[in-house]
Amino acid sequence: MDQNARDDAAVGSLLLQDQLCFALYAASRSVTTRYRPLLDELGLTYPQYLVMLVLWEQGSVSVRELGTALQLESSTLSPLLKRLETGGLIRRERRAEDERSVAVRLTPAGADLQEKARAVPLAIGEAMGLTPEQDATAKHLLRLLTENVTRN
Amino acid sequence: MDQNARDDAAVGSLLLQDQLCFALYAASRSVTTRYRPLLDELGLTYPQYLVMLVLWEQGSVSVRELGTALQLESSTLSPLLKRLETGGLIRRERRAEDERSVAVRLTPAGADLQEKARAVPLAIGEAMGLTPEQDATAKHLLRLLTENVTRN
DNA sequence: CTCGATTAAGTTGTGCGCGACTGAATCGAG
DNA sequence: CTCGATTCAGTCGCGCACAACTTAATCGAG
């Protein structure tokens, strides 16, 4: 309560510790750092892991669809996908029905990696140490914030 | 409630949209993107803006103290500070009492920039569109999460 | 006092992340 | 049908972000 009351009064402050944006920035990097040793075992970086999540879920997607799902530009995805392809986890091929579009799909090695990845979300969830209610509240607020910030 | 109940059951899921980590990653980038046009006016990037916040607050700090405040490595800060120094906003000098340490302080131009920066937190706060209670809750949960993830 | 351990800042290499841009394919108003 | 507008993937340049490492200065056990 004291904490919240103090933070409430901080709107418009230039103090670092008052800023929600800094809490967000620090939290995001701390989570990525926490993922690193787990993903090293799979030979993935964190953004590569997110791409693999989409592919495990959807099977085959265009670069554009990946960008929509992950909110990333093609200028970020193209080099990342090239590295995943070099690593033998995905293949890319132009779509016959629209030659502008590129279909990204898993190789057998990429599909196999899903099994090794199953332990990752549990380990991260445990490290975050939030109750299910806190986890749900955080997700809700972050989605709301993202939607507002993107629209405004 | 339905949303929360559905999310509660998602612990350990490999679905992208279930992951708190992705909500965090997307939110952090969306906020940084929202800052960009505002900070362009000041000639700053978002991490540079965070460094300036610390300097406006503290006056003079070592690179190590900046790293502690922002949770950034010297390998990130050193080139960033070099760019701020080239831009005429800060000066760096070895400390007499400990020649390993470097004191970072504002130039007059760097100090003057604070006035132009005052409008930034308000604009961002408005764009985020959270109630004061939601803002405080989000900050609380993000700090808790960061602390847990960093420790575990 | 001394010298191995620690600490501070910086360098290097790799991988994002995005704005600005390019070239090729497709769309669609007229 | 046509040609300007749009869409898609990709390249380029720059600035993080961090692991691994280097160099120089300080610390501290013996």
Side-chain angles (χ1 to χ4, degrees):
Chain A
M1 288 298 119
D2 284 345
Q3 181 66 40
N4 285 3
R6 192 151 54 73
D7 287 350
D8 283 358
V11 175
S13 161
L14 279 177
L15 297 182
L16 179 69
Q17 297 305 330
D18 290 340
Q19 313 268 340
L20 174 54
C21 71
F22 175 67
L24 196 50
Y25 168 75
S28 180
R29 285 185 297 111
S30 74
V31 169
T32 303
T33 299
R34 186 63 185 74
Y35 264 106
R36 201 181 317 279
L38 300 175
L39 295 181
D40 278 351
E41 309 256 318
L42 309 184
L44 295 173
T45 65
Y46 179 66
Q48 289 169 7
Y49 167 71
L50 295 179
V51 167
M52 296 302 285
L53 286 184
V54 175
L55 291 173
W56 288 328
E57 188 178 337
Q58 315 250 341
S60 170
V61 291
S62 67
V63 175
R64 161 158 182 63
E65 289 162 342
L66 272 175
T68 301
L70 301 175
Q71 298 174 220
L72 289 172
E73 305 295 321
S74 69
S75 49
T76 299
L77 285 172
S78 286
L80 186 157
L81 293 171
K82 191 184 291 185
R83 285 184 284 273
L84 284 178
E85 191 167 37
T86 301
L89 298 178
I90 65 166
R91 287 186 308 114
R92 282 188 293 178
E93 48 197 28
R94 291 275 161 192
R95 282 188 162 147
E97 67 274 24
D98 183 345
E99 290 281 342
R100 290 172 304 182
S101 181
V102 165
V104 181
R105 60 183 89 251
L106 292 164
T107 61
D112 287 350
L113 201 59
Q114 185 174 21
E115 279 314 309
K116 286 182 70 179
R118 288 201 193 284
V120 172
L122 281 313
I124 296 298
E126 191 167 343
M128 293 196 200
L130 301 185
T131 67
E133 293 73 23
Q134 289 175 326
D135 188 285
T137 301
K139 258 183 281 191
H140 168 66
L141 289 175
L142 290 172
R143 286 168 184 161
L144 178 61
L145 188 158
T146 301
E147 193 185 342
N148 290 343
V149 162
T150 304
R151 187 181 40 235
N152 298 336
Chain B
M1 286 299 118
D2 284 344
Q3 182 66 41
N4 284 3
R6 191 152 54 73
D7 286 349
D8 282 0
V11 174
S13 160
L14 278 179
L15 297 182
L16 178 70
Q17 296 306 329
D18 291 339
Q19 312 267 341
L20 174 54
C21 71
F22 174 67
L24 195 51
Y25 169 75
S28 180
R29 285 184 299 110
S30 74
V31 169
T32 304
T33 298
R34 187 62 185 72
Y35 264 107
R36 200 180 318 278
L38 301 176
L39 295 181
D40 278 351
E41 308 256 319
L42 309 184
L44 295 174
T45 65
Y46 180 65
Q48 289 169 8
Y49 167 71
L50 295 179
V51 167
M52 296 303 285
L53 286 184
V54 175
L55 291 172
W56 289 327
E57 186 178 342
Q58 314 250 341
S60 172
V61 291
S62 67
V63 174
R64 163 159 180 64
E65 288 163 342
L66 271 176
T68 300
L70 301 176
Q71 297 173 220
L72 290 171
E73 304 296 321
S74 71
S75 49
T76 298
L77 286 171
S78 287
L80 186 157
L81 293 172
K82 190 184 292 185
R83 286 185 283 272
L84 284 177
E85 191 168 37
T86 302
L89 298 179
I90 65 165
R91 286 187 307 112
R92 283 188 291 178
E93 48 197 26
R94 291 274 160 193
R95 283 190 161 145
E97 67 272 25
D98 184 344
E99 290 280 341
R100 292 172 303 180
S101 181
V102 165
V104 180
R105 60 183 90 251
L106 293 164
T107 61
D112 287 350
L113 201 60
Q114 185 173 20
E115 280 313 309
K116 288 183 68 178
R118 287 200 195 283
V120 172
L122 280 314
I124 296 297
E126 192 168 341
M128 291 196 201
L130 300 185
T131 67
E133 293 73 23
Q134 289 174 326
D135 188 287
T137 301
K139 259 184 281 191
H140 168 67
L141 289 174
L142 290 172
R143 287 168 184 160
L144 178 61
L145 188 158
T146 303
E147 193 185 343
N148 290 344
V149 162
T150 304
R151 186 181 41 236
N152 297 338

